[in-house]
Amino acid sequence: MKCHIIKTALALSLLALLAACGGGGGDTPTVIAPQPPTPQPAPEITLSAPAELVLAAGKPVTVDAKLSIPGAISWTLNPAIGTLSGNGNSAVYTPPATLAEKIRVTVLATSGSSAKSVNIMVYPNPGTPGISLVAGSGAGKVVVDGQGTDARLRNVSAMVADDQGNVYVNDANVLRQVTPAGAVRTIKEFTLQTSDGSTTGYFPQLQGIAYADGKLYAATAWRGTLSIQRVDSKGGVSKVIELPARKAAPGGMLADTGGQFYLRYENDIVRVAADGKVTVLAGREGASDGVDGAGETARFRALRDFALDQDSNLYVLDSASVRKITPGGQVNIVAGTLGAGNGAAVNGDGAAARFGNPQSFAFDTLGKLLILDRSGATPTAFAIRTLTAEGKVSTLLKGSDPAAGSASSVLRVGSGGAVFIGAGGRIDSVKAGGIGALAGMEDSSATSVDGVGSAARFERPAFLAADGAGNLYVTDMLSRNSGPDKVTTHLVLRKITPNGTVSTVVNQSVGTPSGIMADSAGNIYVATYAPGRTDSKPPYSGALYRVTPAGVLELVAGQPVAAPELRDGPGLQARFNQPYLDAIDAENNLYVQDKDPASGKTVWRKISPNGVVSTLDQWHGVQMKAPDGLVYKYNLVGQIVRVNADGSNTELTNHGLGATEAGPLPGRLSPVGHRPVPYGPYALAVIAGSAIYKVVLPH
């Protein structure tokens, strides 16, 4: 039985095996379907964006990709501005050569079914580091070397001519040379400077310049000592004579070929011999009168100028008369009459002649005195009049000061008979056709003028902001829009496009502007306060206005109403006292510095984008950062300083001592305002004088 069971099992197993192998019959074989392959996971792509700012015509930047699993990557650029070169897991983006405005390009990495993109902001290239004019006039009373009207003079108070046709000037404590062709260069600034360029004090005061026998001299006063020094062409000085300084400074200095010096004070003339001996040639210190006589018995009323003739006689301009002092000290009137000035000029002989308001004189090559005489009746009019050795006075020519210029006040004659006239921030020369500009250019911004670049004019630009499209906005304080106490009562907002075109956007009576900011949508916000009154007693509260991109002026918060107070709240329910618009953050919240009218203490306030005003417990802490993520500011002497990531400071421009000079960095800059304004990558906009400048930073 057991054996039968085993045989039966073996038979059944054999039949099953044959069926599996397709044998054992004619039926169709059974097919087993293969299993599908296991799907591969989609790769994860990680991209690294360039950390540095990308500039047109700048260096290429690399975008790196990492895949979670091995695979190939393809790269695309959209829009196709610039070029993209992909190589495996990296792609190199090369910016375009030029850009009119900033753009955003997208670099897309694709691997299999996965894709990842990174945006790159590409900015117009700001250009070579330096200072350049954006709009307005760079004219003004400052110290800038240059050629002709490209040079700037601050305040010409004394001039002397050499035997080569050059003129040397005392320009607000700076000794400068003007060539016959009008080239101006600084010989020596009588200022003490530290190694970092900041001014720490002034010494000594330049009180007179003279030229004789091929040598240039300067009289300086410092700590009770008057020092006469020789100055070489490179600004080196060597002491000639020292003597005690008077309480009153001398009004001028002369030198003769014998090594003597003459110092002109208001009421006497002092002669300093070559050996240093000091004597009073004529007049008496502090004794004001008009008396002819010898030595100290003579009296002078108000000495204005003096000159030596070829015989060592000294001629002085005293009040409205010309008087002669002999080498022995005898004083006599040659022409005019003491005390008869500010009237009509009258030609004639000796005492019959009359001067209006004589300022300065010098001998010409023929031995005649040329006298710069101003009109008593017409403030801008003047004349050059001649005085012969016989005492005859006549008028050579007449002139008039520019409408926005200083009064002509100093006259000198150079070699060959060239006549030079100094007037504040300019030097004119007398030519065959009349009087023309030689060097310097004074402020030409007496009024506001729309235009392009240097053709535009700003009267008193005060606050500056930049929007994201490369436009600048400036508040201009116009004198014609001032109230009875000369405080500006109008908001005059001017726009400067990227190509330098200046237009007036708003001119409305909403108060004195006190700060300006731009938000990310292109709106301009302006704080104002106290229309028609001074800071000390404002009768109206301040307000915050918005100027839309279309130029519409809207009241956002506060109201210009009586009884200023601090009141938080929404929009027009809030109140300000004297708000100064200080900052804007990335969420377009505005921050103002205000003053509590009750306590006089400073408070900080926040205005949300929808106009809700709230008072903060402390300073807002918002830093106005440039596109490079750093903060730029002015130091105490007006240098632009970069605050580095580690907190250290880097000075980028030199102090200007009142001047702004276009050209390579560090240049010279005398900015106006609270801080420089970021103006695109590696560029700042600043107000300086009556103009707007662009400062391109190292990059």
Side-chain angles (χ1 to χ4, degrees):
M1 176 63 96
K2 182 178 181 182
C3 182
H4 176 74
I5 294 173
I6 294 172
K7 288 179 179 180
T8 300
L10 289 172
L12 292 173
S13 298
L14 180 59
L15 290 172
L17 179 63
L18 289 172
C21 294
D27 297 335
T28 302
T30 301
V31 177
I32 300 176
Q35 295 294 321
T38 303
Q40 295 294 324
E44 293 183 3
I45 306 175
T46 303
L47 296 182
S48 63
E52 65 269 31
L53 289 173
V54 180
L55 305 177
K59 63 181 181 180
V61 293
T62 300
V63 178
D64 293 316
K66 291 183 179 180
L67 297 179
S68 58
I69 59 175
I73 300 175
S74 61
W75 298 89
T76 55
L77 175 68
N78 184 41
I81 299 177
T83 59
L84 187 69
S85 175
N87 183 14
N89 286 16
S90 294
V92 176
Y93 173 69
T94 302
T98 60
L99 271 181
E101 58 185 8
K102 67 179 180 181
I103 61 165
R104 179 183 285 108
V105 297
T106 300
V107 175
L108 179 68
T110 305
S111 180
S113 61
S114 298
K116 188 80 171 183
S117 64
V118 63
N119 292 323
I120 299 176
M121 188 66 72
V122 188
Y123 296 89
N125 196 304
T128 304
I131 302 170
S132 61
L133 180 71
V134 175
S137 172
K141 295 180 180 180
V142 293
V143 178
V144 176
D145 289 347
Q147 178 66 43
T149 54
D150 289 334
R152 297 292 181 266
L153 300 148
R154 185 184 298 172
N155 185 24
V156 176
S157 60
M159 297 196 306
V160 63
D162 68 9
D163 50 12
Q164 303 298 314
N166 302 299
V167 175
Y168 300 89
V169 300
N170 177 0
D171 186 17
N173 215 40
V174 180
L175 181 60
R176 309 180 72 188
Q177 180 195 58
V178 184
T179 69
V184 181
R185 73 178 183 95
T186 296
I187 296 176
K188 182 173 180 61
E189 293 187 26
F190 287 90
T191 56
L192 174 65
Q193 298 177 3
T194 62
S195 58
D196 65 358
S198 60
T199 302
T200 60
Y202 292 88
F203 85 102
Q205 294 297 309
L206 182 59
Q207 298 186 339
I209 54 176
Y211 185 90
D213 250 0
K215 301 180 183 68
L216 179 64
Y217 299 95
T220 60
W222 177 245
R223 293 182 176 177
T225 299
L226 182 69
S227 177
I228 299 175
Q229 307 167 75
R230 182 180 173 185
V231 185
D232 64 31
S233 61
K234 296 182 179 180
V237 297
S238 55
K239 183 177 68 176
V240 178
I241 296 171
E242 283 188 346
L243 57 150
R246 289 186 180 182
K247 185 176 181 179
M253 179 176 70
L254 291 174
D256 65 18
T257 56
Q260 295 188 118
F261 298 93
Y262 300 85
L263 300 173
R264 170 176 54 83
Y265 293 90
E266 184 177 16
N267 303 122
D268 63 337
I269 302 293
V270 171
R271 180 166 54 197
V272 182
D275 60 3
K277 183 179 179 180
V278 179
T279 58
V280 175
L281 177 63
R284 185 173 180 179
E285 181 182 3
S288 176
D289 204 345
V291 178
D292 287 345
E296 293 192 37
T297 65
R299 295 289 184 269
F300 299 102
R301 181 161 293 177
L303 293 172
R304 293 183 177 178
D305 205 355
F306 60 168
L308 282 165
D309 70 7
Q310 295 180 347
D311 298 321
S312 298
N313 295 300
L314 195 63
Y315 284 73
V316 298
L317 192 58
D318 184 20
S319 186
S321 67
V322 176
R323 306 175 74 182
K324 176 182 176 181
I325 308 173
T326 67
Q330 179 64 43
V331 179
N332 293 290
I333 290 181
V334 177
T337 303
L338 286 167
N342 296 322
V346 178
N347 292 329
D349 296 330
R354 292 290 182 271
F355 298 100
N357 187 13
Q359 300 292 307
S360 181
F361 62 12
F363 282 101
D364 68 8
T365 54
L366 301 178
K368 293 186 294 184
L369 270 175
L370 301 184
I371 304 168
L372 177 62
D373 191 14
R374 300 200 62 83
S375 169
T378 307
T380 60
F382 65 89
I384 296 178
R385 307 177 70 190
T386 62
L387 172 63
T388 65
E390 297 76 27
K392 184 177 182 61
V393 177
S394 59
T395 299
L396 179 64
L397 62 85
K398 295 182 178 181
S400 182
D401 302 317
S406 299
S408 301
S409 59
V410 184
L411 182 148
R412 292 294 179 261
V413 177
S415 62
V419 179
F420 304 97
I421 300 174
R426 71 182 194 279
I427 295 176
D428 298 328
S429 63
V430 178
K431 303 175 182 178
I435 300 173
L438 177 66
M441 180 187 290
E442 294 188 304
D443 189 3
S444 57
S445 291
T447 187
S448 162
V449 178
D450 289 343
V452 180
S454 60
R457 291 292 180 269
F458 299 92
E459 190 168 335
R460 284 187 298 149
F463 298 101
L464 184 65
D467 68 13
N471 301 299
L472 290 170
Y473 292 85
V474 187
T475 61
D476 201 2
M477 307 291 198
L478 308 187
S479 58
R480 65 178 180 274
N481 287 336
S482 296
D485 58 355
K486 305 304 181 184
V487 175
T488 299
T489 61
H490 276 58
L491 166 61
V492 179
L493 183 66
R494 324 241 345 249
K495 177 182 178 180
I496 310 172
T497 64
N499 72 348
T501 299
V502 179
S503 60
T504 300
V505 179
V506 175
N507 186 350
Q508 293 192 35
S509 181
V510 294
T512 302
S514 56
I516 178 174
M517 291 288 161
D519 71 9
S520 58
N523 297 298
I524 306 300
Y525 292 86
V526 184
T528 67
Y529 69 96
R533 290 292 184 270
T534 61
D535 291 6
S536 58
K537 299 182 70 175
Y540 297 100
S541 60
L544 182 71
Y545 292 87
R546 175 174 54 229
V547 181
T548 69
V552 178
L553 182 68
E554 302 172 339
L555 181 60
V556 174
Q559 291 193 55
V561 297
E565 60 175 308
L566 301 186
R567 185 198 302 173
D568 290 345
L572 307 188
Q573 296 180 27
R575 294 291 182 269
F576 300 97
N577 179 23
Q578 298 177 28
Y580 168 76
L581 190 50
D582 184 66
I584 186 170
D585 64 19
E587 287 74 38
N588 291 329
N589 296 297
L590 295 163
Y591 299 88
V592 302
Q593 176 183 320
D594 208 345
K595 182 181 289 186
D596 189 332
S599 65
K601 293 183 178 179
T602 296
V603 295
W604 292 98
R605 310 182 74 189
K606 176 181 176 180
I607 303 97
S608 69
N610 60 356
V612 177
V613 180
S614 58
T615 299
L616 306 176
D617 294 331
Q618 58 188 357
W619 175 60
H620 51 77
V622 176
Q623 298 278 6
M624 300 294 290
K625 293 184 179 180
D628 61 6
L630 301 176
V631 173
Y632 295 83
K633 64 181 183 179
Y634 300 133
N635 64 11
L636 293 177
V637 295
Q639 294 171 285
I640 293 179
V641 174
R642 181 180 64 222
V643 182
N644 301 310
D646 61 2
S648 63
N649 290 339
T650 301
E651 293 164 353
L652 302 172
T653 59
N654 284 336
H655 66 89
L657 288 176
T660 294
E661 185 173 1
L665 292 181
R668 300 178 68 188
L669 186 67
S670 286
V672 175
H674 183 52
R675 62 170 76 92
V677 174
Y679 188 33
Y682 304 111
L684 304 170
V686 301
I687 299 172
S690 296
I692 312 301
Y693 289 86
K694 179 180 179 180
V695 180
V696 177
L697 308 171
H699 57 276

